[in-house]
Amino acid sequence: MSTTPTDARAVIEPTSDETEFVFFSGKGGVGKSTVSCATATWLANNDYETLLVTTDPAPNLSDIFGQEIGHEVTAIDDIENLSAIEIDPDTAAEEYRQETIEPMRELLGEDQIETVEEQLNSPCVEEIAAFDNFVDFMDSPEYDVVVFDTAPTGHTIRLMELPSDWNAELEKGGSTCIGPAASMEERKQDYERAIDTLQDDERTSFSFVGKPEDSSLDEIERSANDLGELGIESQLLIINGYLPESVCEDPFFEGKRADEQAVIERARMKFDADAMATYPLQPGEIAGLDLLADVGSVLYGGNEATVDVGTATDVGSEAAIDFDSMADTAAVADQLQPGDETRYLFFTGKGGVGKSTIASTTATKLAEAGHETLVVTTDPAAHLEDIFGEPVGHEPTSVGQENLDAARIDQEKSLEEYRTQVLDHVTEMYEDKEDTQIDVDAAIANVKEELESPCAEEMAALEKFVSYFDEDGYDVVVFDTAPTGHTLRLLELPSDWKGFMDLGSLTKGAAPAKGDQYDEVIETMKDPERSTFAFVMYPEYTPMMEAYRAAADLEDQVGIETSLVVANYLLPEEYGDNAFFENRRAQQQEYLGKISDRFDVPMMLAPLRQDEPVGLNELRAFGEEITGLDDVTKETEQEVTPS
């Protein structure tokens, strides 16, 4: 596989008279927006009329370009040929709902309209609305190229493909998990054409951006495979943010750089893309036209990157992160420990922020403190086996320490169990029915198709997740990867669709007590005496804003408040004694303050390590450093020991 910048240029540069599309995909905080802005700038500077579009819920195009952009197409100052738009997902979703409901008002009664409105509160509608906006830009002959920061995922595209037979669905008056089928008939051809364009590698380039970390690359490979199954091939991989050799002057950072270079080499050898490019970590955030031009010239022009570390004279001792003053370890420990009833800990956050390590470390320390502890992962990558060095299966098993069990929710098994459960329920529901208006075979066929929706995968994982609230004998259950507001809102879909067929109703009706059980679980998750929701992030703009938005979604939509944040990958003071790392520390210090202000809850501070902790001994040592549980144990021992 060739990996020269020339190949990267060939991937993104237009080659025909028709508008072409460049998509950048990747998790929050990997530099996707930076790369998108740099690519759009490079194209515009090479005389291509370019539009940059973001559907990111935490857009920072305005910060990068240093001007207000917003929900309307805006010309970028000082760059001829470049315009940009930040699509507001909430506004887009509301516009989609109104466009869907308005034509129905004269045709349906008030009760039916209310049902449709409830259905359009499905979180999947937000994805459809974002895709709707993408479709609107498919006919943009005034542009040579449209660059999308945040591509539609395989999840979204599979939603678009439901149902396969729109006309049959319309005749049944049916619905899908994304709304009444009748509301989408008008857009059917547009959606099909959009997917055809995504699958056309002559007009569309699909690029992934990631960090030089194994977990980041694993996640990209999963997403790329998911898209590949839908006929969309990945053409470009950009690894962003590797440590520059010139600033790694001690064994700690020399070792970190060696690990990163090994990941880059693995990507070169194994990732199936037409081209690959890399860009180094800078001492501060990338903003302004000069730095954007530098990124573009490195990725697409073959230039060497400029790393201007400047001086640390204006940073001084303030850059050192004062762990003692920022970390209230007693308050952190209080959020982790059980009371009289089982405590549920939820560690959530975007991929690559270190959730699995933090969850495993916390579980290990709680078990060591004498609490019967279960740690459960819903992460498809299932890192728990690597962290504990022990097999972790679909059912709870010991991982080598007293009081500590682990389990992994196998998504394929959960989905199969869920499909069987729902289809059995539907068959039973229609058995012996005298109602001749119901075509039972057609109804069951409709349900089978609904069960191919990605929403069914979320519901299946949620079914298994809910079952862990019935696990007896545990003082603490730790979840690595908590259900999002998006997923939990699926549970709140109305159980009676008054004739509409819907996943939410099927799930709630699949067993007599299921609806009540869901309600009890959500009530437990809302109770701060029983549950702790912790957002894991590292102190940079995008991870902070994505976590903040997700936390707001949980509170607004489900009533669950965040009670702990974890700031991970903090640069240690004892290594990296030069201006580059002093500037990085100053940036982290600034964002720690912003995280503290935005969340106003106890903060667990976790330093960057030479290697991720693996095995019980390393987990215990790391836990002693970050959880505050040892201090509580010592205080308890002192209280019960006579002086």
Side-chain angles (χ1 to χ4, degrees):
M1 182 179 72
S2 178
T3 59
T4 65
T6 308
D7 293 322
R9 173 177 180 161
V11 169
I12 62 107
E13 196 165 20
T15 56
S16 70
D17 293 335
E18 289 186 287
T19 304
E20 297 189 17
F21 305 94
V22 179
F23 290 93
F24 287 98
S25 188
K27 291 296 180 184
V30 297
K32 189 170 71 263
S33 294
T34 299
V35 170
S36 302
C37 291
T39 303
T41 300
W42 185 89
L43 287 162
N45 286 337
N46 280 273
D47 298 326
Y48 295 107
E49 197 64 46
T50 306
L51 175 64
L52 173 62
V53 180
T54 184
T55 55
D56 194 320
N60 58 346
L61 304 195
S62 296
D63 295 326
I64 292 171
F65 285 113
Q67 70 178 85
E68 284 299 315
I69 295 174
H71 198 62
E72 302 291 333
V73 173
T74 303
I76 298 300
D77 298 339
D78 302 321
I79 305 180
E80 204 174 335
N81 308 320
L82 181 58
S83 300
I85 179 172
E86 296 174 329
I87 294 170
D88 182 283
D90 293 332
T91 303
E94 188 52 36
E95 288 171 352
Y96 178 84
R97 290 186 187 104
Q98 292 309 315
E99 287 169 9
T100 300
I101 291 170
E102 280 309 312
M104 298 182 180
R105 292 197 184 277
E106 294 179 12
L107 305 173
L108 301 177
E110 195 171 318
D111 288 350
Q112 291 170 304
I113 288 292
E114 192 175 322
T115 300
V116 174
E117 286 176 335
E118 285 180 321
Q119 191 172 18
L120 287 170
N121 279 327
S122 164
C124 298
V125 166
E126 292 164 16
E127 292 179 74
I128 300 306
F131 194 83
D132 231 35
N133 277 272
F134 155 62
V135 170
D136 289 339
F137 288 110
M138 297 300 286
D139 289 315
S140 302
E142 68 270 34
Y143 299 107
D144 298 311
V145 60
V146 181
V147 177
F148 288 92
D149 164 30
T150 309
T153 63
H155 184 293
T156 305
I157 291 160
R158 284 171 58 203
L159 285 173
M160 294 291 98
E161 295 187 327
L162 292 170
S164 57
D165 188 345
W166 293 72
N167 292 325
E169 187 67 22
L170 286 167
E171 286 163 12
K172 293 199 296 281
S175 72
T176 74
C177 64
I178 53 177
S183 70
M184 292 177 289
E185 175 64 10
E186 203 174 295
R187 293 291 261 171
K188 173 194 168 189
Q189 290 182 334
D190 292 335
Y191 289 154
E192 289 177 346
R193 189 160 49 87
I195 290 171
D196 286 344
T197 302
L198 284 169
Q199 293 169 337
D200 181 356
D201 59 12
E202 293 297 315
R203 290 196 62 195
T204 300
S205 303
F206 219 94
S207 307
F208 279 98
V209 183
K211 288 199 162 192
E213 299 163 358
D214 280 314
S215 61
S216 182
L217 196 58
D218 291 342
E219 198 134 351
I220 286 172
E221 286 180 331
R222 277 198 305 278
S223 297
N225 289 337
D226 189 18
L227 288 166
E229 289 172 6
L230 297 167
I232 297 169
E233 297 304 322
S234 308
Q235 290 129 298
L236 176 61
L237 172 63
I238 293 173
I239 302 290
N240 180 51
Y242 67 85
L243 286 165
E245 186 175 13
S246 60
V247 306
C248 297
E249 300 169 332
D250 56 58
F252 181 91
F253 282 109
E254 285 172 355
K256 297 296 290 183
R257 177 179 160 78
D259 291 343
E260 291 179 351
Q261 293 300 310
V263 173
I264 291 171
E265 188 56 32
R266 173 191 157 197
R268 281 204 175 96
M269 299 298 293
K270 294 187 176 178
F271 193 77
D272 185 20
D274 296 330
M276 181 179 140
T278 61
Y279 191 78
L281 188 68
Q282 291 285 354
E285 291 177 302
I286 293 174
L289 301 186
D290 290 345
L291 262 179
L292 288 177
D294 184 65
V295 176
S297 71
V298 172
L299 297 180
Y300 309 116
N303 292 2
E304 287 293 319
T306 303
V307 181
D308 181 10
V309 300
T311 65
T313 52
D314 57 337
V315 176
S317 60
E318 292 176 12
I321 295 168
D322 186 350
F323 283 79
D324 292 335
S325 67
M326 293 206 69
D328 184 346
T329 53
V332 169
D334 189 52
Q335 290 295 333
L336 304 178
Q337 295 180 107
D340 295 333
E341 297 180 277
T342 303
R343 179 172 280 275
Y344 300 93
L345 304 180
F346 303 91
F347 289 99
T348 188
K350 293 295 182 184
V353 295
K355 288 189 304 292
S356 298
T357 297
I358 298 294
S360 302
T361 299
T362 302
T364 301
K365 291 305 292 183
L366 286 163
E368 189 184 30
H371 304 297
E372 286 289 343
T373 304
L374 170 66
V375 57
V376 180
T377 185
T378 57
D379 190 329
H383 294 308
L384 294 194
E385 287 197 357
D386 298 330
I387 292 170
F388 288 113
E390 296 280 345
V392 175
H394 197 50
E395 302 300 331
T397 52
S398 173
V399 285
Q401 174 168 311
E402 190 178 356
N403 306 325
L404 182 59
D405 291 345
R408 174 174 73 89
I409 295 178
D410 185 306
Q411 292 184 318
E412 287 185 12
K413 284 184 183 175
S414 298
L415 184 56
E416 196 48 50
E417 290 167 5
Y418 176 75
R419 281 180 176 144
T420 301
Q421 175 189 354
V422 171
L423 285 170
D424 285 350
H425 168 65
V426 172
T427 305
E428 185 182 325
M429 193 167 67
Y430 286 127
E431 260 178 359
D432 304 322
K433 282 279 178 78
E434 298 295 328
D435 189 345
T436 53
Q437 291 183 322
I438 296 174
D439 183 338
V440 175
D441 290 339
I444 289 174
N446 178 36
V447 173
K448 283 182 177 176
E449 183 156 33
E450 284 286 293
L451 288 169
E452 294 301 315
S453 161
C455 294
E457 294 170 16
E458 290 182 71
M459 291 304 298
L462 203 55
E463 283 277 313
K464 191 65 180 174
F465 162 78
V466 165
S467 74
Y468 287 107
F469 282 76
D470 291 332
E471 286 285 348
D472 292 326
Y474 292 108
D475 302 315
V476 186
V477 181
V478 180
F479 290 97
D480 162 31
T481 308
T484 61
H486 179 295
T487 303
L488 291 173
R489 281 164 62 198
L490 290 173
L491 286 187
E492 299 197 317
L493 293 174
S495 56
D496 179 8
W497 285 123
K498 303 178 182 67
F500 287 98
M501 186 65 67
D502 185 85
L503 282 172
S505 61
L506 292 172
T507 305
K508 282 193 171 182
K514 190 65 74 177
D516 292 339
Q517 186 185 6
Y518 287 160
D519 293 341
E520 285 174 23
V521 166
I522 287 190
E523 285 307 310
T524 299
M525 292 165 74
K526 288 179 183 178
D527 182 355
E529 297 298 316
R530 300 283 313 278
S531 297
T532 296
F533 255 78
F535 273 90
V536 185
M537 67 199 82
Y538 43 90
E540 291 181 13
Y541 177 84
T542 302
M544 176 187 72
M545 289 306 299
E546 291 200 351
Y548 184 68
R549 181 181 172 85
D553 186 40
L554 269 176
E555 185 169 2
D556 295 345
Q557 302 289 350
V558 194
I560 294 172
E561 293 186 13
T562 301
S563 40
L564 182 69
V565 293
V566 183
N568 202 7
Y569 304 142
L570 303 180
L571 290 170
E573 191 179 347
E574 60 268 33
Y575 304 111
D577 184 17
N578 58 38
F580 181 90
F581 290 110
E582 287 299 305
N583 282 301
R584 295 292 303 178
R585 284 190 193 92
Q587 181 183 307
Q588 288 194 342
Q589 184 79 45
E590 180 185 346
Y591 278 112
L592 284 173
K594 290 180 178 178
I595 291 167
S596 181
D597 290 343
R598 282 185 178 275
F599 287 90
D600 195 26
V601 296
M603 188 188 302
M604 182 191 292
L605 299 176
L608 181 70
R609 293 168 54 92
Q610 177 72 66
D611 300 297
E612 290 293 298
V614 172
L616 292 169
N617 289 335
E618 290 187 23
L619 290 168
R620 290 187 197 110
F622 190 43
E624 185 174 347
E625 195 174 355
I626 69 172
T627 63
L629 289 167
D630 283 281
D631 295 336
V632 174
T633 304
K634 287 172 189 170
E635 284 176 17
T636 305
E637 288 171 352
Q638 287 169 359
E639 287 171 9
V640 298
T641 304
S643 55

